[in-house]
Amino acid sequence: AFSKGAKADIIPAMKRFLKFIIGLALLPACYGYSLEFLRVISAIYKNPGTYWGIFVGGGATYLLFHIFLPKPLLLHIFGHELTHAFFAKLFGWKVKSMKASDSGGHVKLSGSNFIVTLAPYFFPLYSFIVLLVYMTTILFGYDKGFYPYFLFLTGFTISLHILMIIESLRTDQPDIKEGGLVFSVPLIYLGNLLVMVLLLRLTVFKGINYYGFLKMGCLRSWEVWKALYRAAVG
């Protein structure tokens, strides 16, 4: 039998190894869903619709802000910690405290898991807040008048999310280290693809078949897994 000290060492090591294997197994899914994401973007490019330019303009506007103005660190850090708290509440855990400042942030929860830990890296909170506000305007019959502004802000906040996440990943992130790079990065990448296509479906390009995107991405991933298996076993 293992001593308590040995178990304390073995169990975390086994969890890290399992996450490493899962991360490797997710790489074909990253490839498969990347192909489907490019197919969706290509379809939008060929048939952009009336307001696509406003959506892209919002994204380009934040890109210029990001390049030429100080980075909105407080806004990003506050959204980061709030996303941790939001996902913790979805899982039924309590938010004991939350702190955000230009120099960093922290949220204390009664429980957590890898989804709560990585949520800020794939869930563009401010884009969904914009969507919620727009849905409220629909209830009061103002959707047509506010639709262009909604699309601009959606593009703006998606661009903010992507560029600030890239900035974050360039630094030492405890959230990423907790699960390990091989486990965390594929999950973050896949999460962003799934959420971005969903946002496009809900906002600027309602012709997207989201179920079809999920299905075809899964099938493409399965083909890669099969090819790798055949190559491994000969």
Side-chain angles (χ1 to χ4, degrees), residues 6-20:
K7 288 182 179 179
D9 292 333
I10 291 172
I11 292 174
M14 290 179 64
K15 286 182 177 179
R16 287 194 296 270
F17 179 72
L18 180 60
K19 286 182 177 181
F20 181 81

Side-chain angles (χ1 to χ4, degrees), residues 28-205:
C30 292
Y31 176 77
Y33 276 99
S34 292
L35 293 179
E36 277 304 294
F37 181 77
L38 291 175
R39 184 188 63 79
V40 169
I41 297 301
S42 176
I44 295 174
Y45 180 77
K46 291 175 182 176
N47 184 24
T50 307
Y51 293 104
W52 177 246
I54 296 175
F55 176 84
V56 173
T61 299
Y62 177 74
L63 174 61
L64 293 175
F65 285 2
H66 191 85
I67 294 171
F68 296 109
L69 296 176
K71 308 296 187 294
L73 291 177
L74 181 58
L75 184 69
H76 170 68
I77 292 169
F78 177 76
H80 183 103
E81 303 305 335
L82 191 60
T83 305
H84 281 311
F86 173 68
F87 272 79
K89 294 294 288 185
L90 289 180
F91 281 96
W93 289 307
K94 294 180 180 180
V95 180
K96 296 181 178 180
S97 64
M98 191 178 88
K99 177 185 176 182
S101 67
D102 288 333
S103 58
H106 176 74
V107 60
K108 189 175 181 180
L109 309 170
S110 62
S112 186
N113 58 27
F114 71 91
I115 296 176
V116 175
T117 300
L118 298 178
Y121 300 93
F122 65 78
F123 186 80
L125 178 67
Y126 293 121
S127 298
F128 279 95
I129 290 175
V130 170
L131 178 61
L132 181 62
V133 171
Y134 177 65
M135 290 173 65
T136 303
T137 67
I138 291 176
L139 294 176
F140 291 96
Y142 296 112
D143 54 311
K144 291 183 179 179
F146 283 99
Y147 187 59
Y149 303 102
F150 159 67
L151 285 185
F152 182 87
L153 288 173
T154 302
F156 187 94
T157 52
I158 287 176
S159 183
L160 182 150
H161 166 76
I162 293 172
L163 291 170
M164 289 305 296
I165 291 306
I166 292 172
E167 291 284 341
S168 296
L169 293 178
R170 292 169 59 188
T171 63
D172 188 28
Q173 292 292 316
D175 295 335
I176 306 298
K177 291 177 67 176
E178 183 177 325
L181 278 175
V182 176
F183 177 75
S184 300
V185 172
L187 277 175
I188 291 169
Y189 181 78
L190 274 174
N192 274 288
L193 291 182
L194 297 176
V195 172
M196 290 305 159
V197 174
L198 177 61
L199 271 173
L200 288 172
R201 169 65 181 82
L202 293 173
T203 58
V204 68
F205 202 70

